[in-house]
Amino acid sequence: MDELVRHIQFPLYFDSNRLKEDVQKVMNTNWVDHYNQNDYDGKWTSIALMSANGKSDNIYAFNFDSKEIIATEALEVCTYFKEILDSFHFDKAAVRLLNLSAGAQIKPHSDHCLGYEDGFFRLHIPIITNPNVIFILDSKRLIMNEGECWYINANFTHSVANNGSEDRIHLVIDGIRNDWSDQLFFENHTENQFQKPVPEMDEKTKQLVIEQLKLMNTDVANEMIEKLSK
């Protein structure tokens, strides 16, 4: 079994000036404190550009039980963000702006079901950053520059420290895997690098995992359910 891919810097580049212009349009919007209160020190805030109810203060990342998410009032005024989102031909599970204030840090943690092998994936597009941002993924530092586009396998332990003097703001897109995204991800990687073995588990744990996969209701999740049910 090939080792799972931790991150990818895609050959996609966005206009950093236009990104910053759109951010300025929503800086006076109500930025909500991130809900994982125990995972960070300092100020870490967010607004949703797409959400289940179309409200910018609905910053939750998972919408497994919602068929689709819709543009919020914040996205309506951001023409470049809309252009970028329209260029990604996959369904979105969450689209947010995340602001890690100067001096703040996100503690080491891992998310669940946010690797491409799970059928879900997270993209980061840095809008405002600085050389003193320390982003660590699986013990390796990643330097993500303004206007770049990165896949981050958030299942692996990661942390961020903004040691700079200005806020760090990323456009963060959670997507649902499809043929279009496969083409993007497999350009420089093989499909085997996005497959993980079904873990050995007791019957109770197996049923809990199956119930969680049912909530996702994706082709990849259904394939995993089939494997677990054998």
Side-chain angles (χ1 to χ4, degrees), residues 16-81:
S16 60
N17 290 326
R18 292 184 69 192
L19 288 168
K20 289 175 183 175
E21 284 172 9
D22 268 9
V23 158
Q24 288 307 314
K25 294 174 186 175
V26 294
M27 285 308 292
N28 291 328
T29 302
N30 178 34
W31 290 67
V32 180
D33 288 341
H34 198 284
Y35 46 87
N36 287 338
Q37 300 281 330
N38 295 324
D39 282 350
Y40 62 94
D41 292 319
K43 198 161 184 61
W44 187 26
T45 57
S46 178
I47 58 174
L49 297 179
M50 297 181 75
S51 69
N53 62 359
K55 302 294 184 184
S56 63
D57 60 357
N58 181 3
I59 64 167
Y60 288 94
F62 296 100
N63 291 289
F64 294 144
D65 55 350
S66 177
K67 290 187 177 177
E68 63 177 307
I69 58 173
I70 57 176
T72 67
E73 72 280 6
L75 181 58
E76 293 299 340
V77 299
C78 298
T79 52
Y80 193 45
F81 291 157

Side-chain angles (χ1 to χ4, degrees), residues 76 120 155 217:
E76 293 299 340
F120 287 86
N155 291 340
N217 194 28

Side-chain angles (χ1 to χ4, degrees), residues 110-122:
S110 58
D111 298 294
H112 302 285
C113 297
L114 257 177
Y116 200 67
E117 60 278 3
D118 299 307
F120 287 86
F121 57 95
R122 176 162 290 172

Side-chain angles (χ1 to χ4, degrees), residues 81-214:
F81 291 157
K82 276 199 261 188
E83 191 179 308
I84 291 170
L85 293 172
D86 288 344
S87 73
F88 289 127
H89 301 295
F90 51 77
D91 289 334
K92 285 80 177 175
V95 181
R96 299 169 296 161
L97 294 171
L98 288 167
N99 183 346
L100 187 66
S101 296
Q105 61 177 334
I106 303 169
K107 301 172 187 176
H109 70 287
S110 58
D111 298 294
H112 302 285
C113 297
L114 257 177
Y116 200 67
E117 60 278 3
D118 299 307
F120 287 86
F121 57 95
R122 176 162 290 172
L123 302 182
H124 278 253
I125 299 174
I127 300 174
I128 299 172
T129 190
N130 65 78
N132 296 313
V133 169
I134 311 297
F135 187 107
I136 304 293
L137 175 67
D138 196 30
S139 302
K140 179 180 179 180
R141 183 183 180 188
L142 302 184
I143 299 175
M144 296 183 276
N145 298 306
E146 293 173 359
E148 295 176 348
C149 182
W150 289 72
Y151 158 68
I152 303 300
N153 190 330
N155 291 340
F156 290 92
T157 301
H158 53 287
S159 62
V160 193
N162 183 0
N163 298 325
S165 57
E166 62 178 337
D167 293 355
R168 166 212 188 241
I169 300 179
H170 281 200
L171 170 58
V172 180
I173 304 163
D174 290 351
I176 299 172
R177 179 176 176 172
N178 66 5
D179 290 342
W180 187 91
S181 64
D182 278 353
Q183 192 170 357
L184 179 67
F185 275 73
F186 299 163
E187 186 136 351
N188 293 302
H189 298 83
T190 65
E191 188 170 357
N192 288 339
Q193 292 174 281
F194 301 99
Q195 292 180 352
K196 59 183 178 182
V198 177
E200 293 289 331
M201 62 183 77
D202 59 51
E203 195 58 35
K204 184 180 178 182
T205 304
K206 188 185 290 187
Q207 291 308 314
L208 287 171
V209 171
I210 287 173
E211 290 305 312
Q212 188 175 20
L213 290 168
K214 282 179 180 175

